mmCIF file of all heavy atoms in Angstrom:
data_model
loop_
_atom_site.group_PDB
_atom_site.id
_atom_site.type_symbol
_atom_site.label_atom_id
_atom_site.label_comp_id
_atom_site.label_asym_id
_atom_site.label_seq_id
_atom_site.Cartn_x
_atom_site.Cartn_y
_atom_site.Cartn_z
ATOM 1 N N GLN A 51 17.373 1.910 26.236
ATOM 2 C CA GLN A 51 18.067 1.357 27.407
ATOM 3 C C GLN A 51 17.873 -0.147 27.503
ATOM 4 O O GLN A 51 18.805 -0.875 27.854
ATOM 5 C CB GLN A 51 17.569 2.064 28.676
ATOM 6 C CG GLN A 51 18.080 3.489 28.752
ATOM 7 C CD GLN A 51 17.316 4.355 29.743
ATOM 8 O OE1 GLN A 51 16.156 4.067 30.072
ATOM 9 N NE2 GLN A 51 17.952 5.418 30.230
ATOM 10 N N ALA A 52 16.665 -0.620 27.159
ATOM 11 C CA ALA A 52 16.406 -2.064 27.205
ATOM 12 C C ALA A 52 17.295 -2.795 26.192
ATOM 13 O O ALA A 52 17.804 -3.898 26.473
ATOM 14 C CB ALA A 52 14.933 -2.338 26.919
ATOM 15 N N ILE A 53 17.500 -2.184 25.030
ATOM 16 C CA ILE A 53 18.367 -2.804 24.017
ATOM 17 C C ILE A 53 19.805 -2.872 24.543
ATOM 18 O O ILE A 53 20.493 -3.891 24.422
ATOM 19 C CB ILE A 53 18.279 -2.042 22.677
ATOM 20 C CG1 ILE A 53 16.910 -2.282 22.025
ATOM 21 C CG2 ILE A 53 19.417 -2.439 21.737
ATOM 22 C CD1 ILE A 53 16.668 -1.539 20.730
ATOM 23 N N ILE A 54 20.239 -1.787 25.161
ATOM 24 C CA ILE A 54 21.613 -1.755 25.691
ATOM 25 C C ILE A 54 21.793 -2.830 26.772
ATOM 26 O O ILE A 54 22.800 -3.541 26.792
ATOM 27 C CB ILE A 54 21.953 -0.337 26.222
ATOM 28 C CG1 ILE A 54 22.069 0.609 25.022
ATOM 29 C CG2 ILE A 54 23.223 -0.345 27.066
ATOM 30 C CD1 ILE A 54 22.398 2.036 25.351
ATOM 31 N N GLU A 55 20.773 -2.989 27.618
ATOM 32 C CA GLU A 55 20.830 -4.047 28.639
ATOM 33 C C GLU A 55 20.989 -5.417 27.990
ATOM 34 O O GLU A 55 21.783 -6.238 28.426
ATOM 35 C CB GLU A 55 19.529 -4.058 29.431
ATOM 36 C CG GLU A 55 19.661 -3.493 30.834
ATOM 37 C CD GLU A 55 18.294 -3.318 31.461
ATOM 38 O OE1 GLU A 55 17.537 -4.305 31.511
ATOM 39 O OE2 GLU A 55 17.990 -2.169 31.863
ATOM 40 N N SER A 56 20.206 -5.640 26.924
ATOM 41 C CA SER A 56 20.267 -6.930 26.231
ATOM 42 C C SER A 56 21.650 -7.161 25.616
ATOM 43 O O SER A 56 22.182 -8.276 25.654
ATOM 44 C CB SER A 56 19.163 -6.972 25.167
ATOM 45 O OG SER A 56 19.491 -7.807 24.107
ATOM 46 N N VAL A 57 22.257 -6.091 25.079
ATOM 47 C CA VAL A 57 23.608 -6.209 24.499
ATOM 48 C C VAL A 57 24.606 -6.601 25.596
ATOM 49 O O VAL A 57 25.447 -7.490 25.399
ATOM 50 C CB VAL A 57 24.033 -4.876 23.823
ATOM 51 C CG1 VAL A 57 25.513 -4.893 23.459
ATOM 52 C CG2 VAL A 57 23.183 -4.605 22.588
ATOM 53 N N HIS A 58 24.472 -5.996 26.776
ATOM 54 C CA HIS A 58 25.378 -6.326 27.877
ATOM 55 C C HIS A 58 25.139 -7.748 28.382
ATOM 56 O O HIS A 58 26.082 -8.478 28.659
ATOM 57 C CB HIS A 58 25.249 -5.300 29.005
ATOM 58 C CG HIS A 58 25.819 -3.956 28.626
ATOM 59 N ND1 HIS A 58 27.059 -3.821 28.011
ATOM 60 C CD2 HIS A 58 25.327 -2.704 28.752
ATOM 61 C CE1 HIS A 58 27.291 -2.533 27.780
ATOM 62 N NE2 HIS A 58 26.254 -1.834 28.211
ATOM 63 N N GLU A 59 23.846 -8.132 28.445
ATOM 64 C CA GLU A 59 23.521 -9.496 28.884
ATOM 65 C C GLU A 59 24.187 -10.546 28.004
ATOM 66 O O GLU A 59 24.694 -11.547 28.476
ATOM 67 C CB GLU A 59 22.012 -9.727 28.782
ATOM 68 C CG GLU A 59 21.272 -9.660 30.102
ATOM 69 C CD GLU A 59 19.773 -9.611 29.852
ATOM 70 O OE1 GLU A 59 19.283 -10.370 29.003
ATOM 71 O OE2 GLU A 59 19.111 -8.748 30.485
ATOM 72 N N LYS A 60 24.156 -10.305 26.694
ATOM 73 C CA LYS A 60 24.738 -11.266 25.752
ATOM 74 C C LYS A 60 26.251 -11.088 25.637
ATOM 75 O O LYS A 60 26.915 -11.849 24.927
ATOM 76 C CB LYS A 60 24.119 -11.099 24.350
ATOM 77 C CG LYS A 60 22.642 -11.416 24.292
ATOM 78 C CD LYS A 60 22.397 -12.898 24.075
ATOM 79 C CE LYS A 60 20.914 -13.190 24.002
ATOM 80 N NZ LYS A 60 20.611 -14.601 24.213
ATOM 81 N N GLY A 61 26.768 -10.061 26.266
ATOM 82 C CA GLY A 61 28.212 -9.806 26.190
ATOM 83 C C GLY A 61 28.663 -9.463 24.782
ATOM 84 O O GLY A 61 29.784 -9.786 24.372
ATOM 85 N N SER A 62 27.768 -8.799 24.011
ATOM 86 C CA SER A 62 28.097 -8.508 22.608
ATOM 87 C C SER A 62 29.145 -7.416 22.451
ATOM 88 O O SER A 62 29.918 -7.422 21.488
ATOM 89 C CB SER A 62 26.829 -8.076 21.855
ATOM 90 O OG SER A 62 25.872 -9.097 21.842
ATOM 91 N N LEU A 63 29.194 -6.472 23.403
ATOM 92 C CA LEU A 63 30.089 -5.314 23.229
ATOM 93 C C LEU A 63 31.539 -5.713 23.453
ATOM 94 O O LEU A 63 31.891 -6.281 24.487
ATOM 95 C CB LEU A 63 29.694 -4.211 24.226
ATOM 96 C CG LEU A 63 30.334 -2.837 24.005
ATOM 97 C CD1 LEU A 63 29.754 -2.160 22.773
ATOM 98 C CD2 LEU A 63 30.107 -1.934 25.229
ATOM 99 N N ARG A 64 32.391 -5.410 22.455
ATOM 100 C CA ARG A 64 33.830 -5.656 22.620
ATOM 101 C C ARG A 64 34.396 -4.513 23.456
ATOM 102 O O ARG A 64 34.125 -3.344 23.187
ATOM 103 C CB ARG A 64 34.528 -5.703 21.253
ATOM 104 C CG ARG A 64 33.998 -6.762 20.326
ATOM 105 C CD ARG A 64 34.466 -8.177 20.713
ATOM 106 N NE ARG A 64 33.816 -9.180 19.873
ATOM 107 C CZ ARG A 64 32.683 -9.821 20.191
ATOM 108 N NH1 ARG A 64 32.078 -9.571 21.333
ATOM 109 N NH2 ARG A 64 32.150 -10.711 19.374
ATOM 110 N N LYS A 65 35.202 -4.833 24.462
ATOM 111 C CA LYS A 65 35.675 -3.801 25.393
ATOM 112 C C LYS A 65 37.063 -3.317 25.020
ATOM 113 O O LYS A 65 37.832 -4.105 24.486
ATOM 114 C CB LYS A 65 35.679 -4.385 26.807
ATOM 115 C CG LYS A 65 34.265 -4.718 27.260
ATOM 116 C CD LYS A 65 34.118 -4.706 28.742
ATOM 117 C CE LYS A 65 32.669 -4.769 29.136
ATOM 118 N NZ LYS A 65 32.025 -6.071 28.982
ATOM 119 N N PRO A 66 37.499 -2.077 25.261
ATOM 120 C CA PRO A 66 36.631 -1.042 25.815
ATOM 121 C C PRO A 66 35.749 -0.482 24.706
ATOM 122 O O PRO A 66 36.210 -0.319 23.581
ATOM 123 C CB PRO A 66 37.637 0.004 26.289
ATOM 124 C CG PRO A 66 38.810 -0.153 25.370
ATOM 125 C CD PRO A 66 38.848 -1.585 24.949
ATOM 126 N N GLY A 67 34.506 -0.185 25.008
ATOM 127 C CA GLY A 67 33.605 0.337 23.968
ATOM 128 C C GLY A 67 32.479 1.111 24.587
ATOM 129 O O GLY A 67 32.046 0.798 25.695
ATOM 130 N N LEU A 68 32.015 2.107 23.865
ATOM 131 C CA LEU A 68 30.932 2.937 24.376
ATOM 132 C C LEU A 68 29.633 2.592 23.667
ATOM 133 O O LEU A 68 29.588 2.486 22.433
ATOM 134 C CB LEU A 68 31.269 4.425 24.149
ATOM 135 C CG LEU A 68 30.236 5.414 24.676
ATOM 136 C CD1 LEU A 68 30.306 5.496 26.201
ATOM 137 C CD2 LEU A 68 30.437 6.792 24.067
ATOM 138 N N LEU A 69 28.579 2.396 24.441
ATOM 139 C CA LEU A 69 27.244 2.150 23.899
ATOM 140 C C LEU A 69 26.283 2.991 24.732
ATOM 141 O O LEU A 69 26.128 2.752 25.932
ATOM 142 C CB LEU A 69 26.911 0.659 24.019
ATOM 143 C CG LEU A 69 25.529 0.206 23.571
ATOM 144 C CD1 LEU A 69 25.273 0.518 22.112
ATOM 145 C CD2 LEU A 69 25.374 -1.301 23.799
ATOM 146 N N GLN A 70 25.665 3.999 24.087
ATOM 147 C CA GLN A 70 24.918 4.989 24.850
ATOM 148 C C GLN A 70 23.519 5.225 24.277
ATOM 149 O O GLN A 70 23.358 5.222 23.056
ATOM 150 C CB GLN A 70 25.693 6.304 24.797
ATOM 151 C CG GLN A 70 25.669 7.088 26.073
ATOM 152 C CD GLN A 70 26.719 8.192 26.039
ATOM 153 O OE1 GLN A 70 26.823 8.911 25.033
ATOM 154 N NE2 GLN A 70 27.469 8.336 27.116
ATOM 155 N N ALA A 71 22.547 5.455 25.164
ATOM 156 C CA ALA A 71 21.155 5.693 24.746
ATOM 157 C C ALA A 71 20.840 7.194 24.748
ATOM 158 O O ALA A 71 21.364 7.932 25.578
ATOM 159 C CB ALA A 71 20.215 4.978 25.703
ATOM 160 N N HIS A 72 19.972 7.600 23.807
ATOM 161 C CA HIS A 72 19.568 9.013 23.724
ATOM 162 C C HIS A 72 18.095 9.086 23.381
ATOM 163 O O HIS A 72 17.603 8.280 22.585
ATOM 164 C CB HIS A 72 20.341 9.747 22.622
ATOM 165 C CG HIS A 72 21.823 9.633 22.750
ATOM 166 N ND1 HIS A 72 22.602 10.580 23.366
ATOM 167 C CD2 HIS A 72 22.668 8.641 22.354
ATOM 168 C CE1 HIS A 72 23.872 10.198 23.332
ATOM 169 N NE2 HIS A 72 23.938 9.021 22.722
ATOM 170 N N GLN A 73 17.422 10.113 23.918
ATOM 171 C CA GLN A 73 16.042 10.357 23.521
ATOM 172 C C GLN A 73 16.076 11.310 22.334
ATOM 173 O O GLN A 73 16.817 12.302 22.346
ATOM 174 C CB GLN A 73 15.287 10.982 24.701
ATOM 175 C CG GLN A 73 13.766 10.905 24.592
ATOM 176 C CD GLN A 73 13.176 11.989 23.721
ATOM 177 O OE1 GLN A 73 13.726 13.084 23.641
ATOM 178 N NE2 GLN A 73 12.086 11.680 23.046
ATOM 179 N N LEU A 74 15.313 10.994 21.280
ATOM 180 C CA LEU A 74 15.326 11.863 20.090
ATOM 181 C C LEU A 74 14.005 11.764 19.337
ATOM 182 O O LEU A 74 13.488 10.669 19.109
ATOM 183 C CB LEU A 74 16.469 11.422 19.142
ATOM 184 C CG LEU A 74 16.517 12.112 17.776
ATOM 185 C CD1 LEU A 74 17.032 13.554 17.909
ATOM 186 C CD2 LEU A 74 17.399 11.345 16.790
ATOM 187 N N ASP A 75 13.475 12.919 18.930
ATOM 188 C CA ASP A 75 12.398 12.915 17.940
ATOM 189 C C ASP A 75 13.083 13.143 16.592
ATOM 190 O O ASP A 75 13.489 14.263 16.274
ATOM 191 C CB ASP A 75 11.372 14.017 18.217
ATOM 192 C CG ASP A 75 10.301 14.075 17.119
ATOM 193 O OD1 ASP A 75 10.367 13.247 16.178
ATOM 194 O OD2 ASP A 75 9.420 14.937 17.189
ATOM 195 N N ALA A 76 13.219 12.081 15.824
ATOM 196 C CA ALA A 76 13.993 12.153 14.582
ATOM 197 C C ALA A 76 13.259 12.885 13.465
ATOM 198 O O ALA A 76 13.813 13.089 12.382
ATOM 199 C CB ALA A 76 14.408 10.755 14.140
ATOM 200 N N MET A 77 12.018 13.307 13.714
ATOM 201 C CA MET A 77 11.337 14.178 12.736
ATOM 202 C C MET A 77 11.920 15.591 12.841
ATOM 203 O O MET A 77 11.734 16.408 11.948
ATOM 204 C CB MET A 77 9.827 14.247 13.017
ATOM 205 C CG MET A 77 9.091 12.931 12.833
ATOM 206 S SD MET A 77 9.147 12.332 11.150
ATOM 207 C CE MET A 77 7.776 13.243 10.467
ATOM 208 N N ASP A 78 12.592 15.865 13.943
ATOM 209 C CA ASP A 78 13.190 17.170 14.202
ATOM 210 C C ASP A 78 14.626 17.177 13.641
ATOM 211 O O ASP A 78 15.549 16.617 14.246
ATOM 212 C CB ASP A 78 13.170 17.408 15.721
ATOM 213 C CG ASP A 78 13.734 18.767 16.114
ATOM 214 O OD1 ASP A 78 14.458 19.379 15.306
ATOM 215 O OD2 ASP A 78 13.449 19.190 17.245
#
Side-chain angles (χ1 to χ4, degrees):
Q51 288 163 337
I53 289 177
I54 290 180
E55 254 170 55
S56 153
V57 169
H58 290 314
E59 257 168 44
K60 295 274 181 198
S62 298
L63 192 71
R64 301 285 174 267
K65 295 205 169 75
L68 182 74
L69 177 60
Q70 218 167 46
H72 306 265
Q73 198 278 329
L74 173 74
D75 176 1
M77 295 297 276
D78 182 341

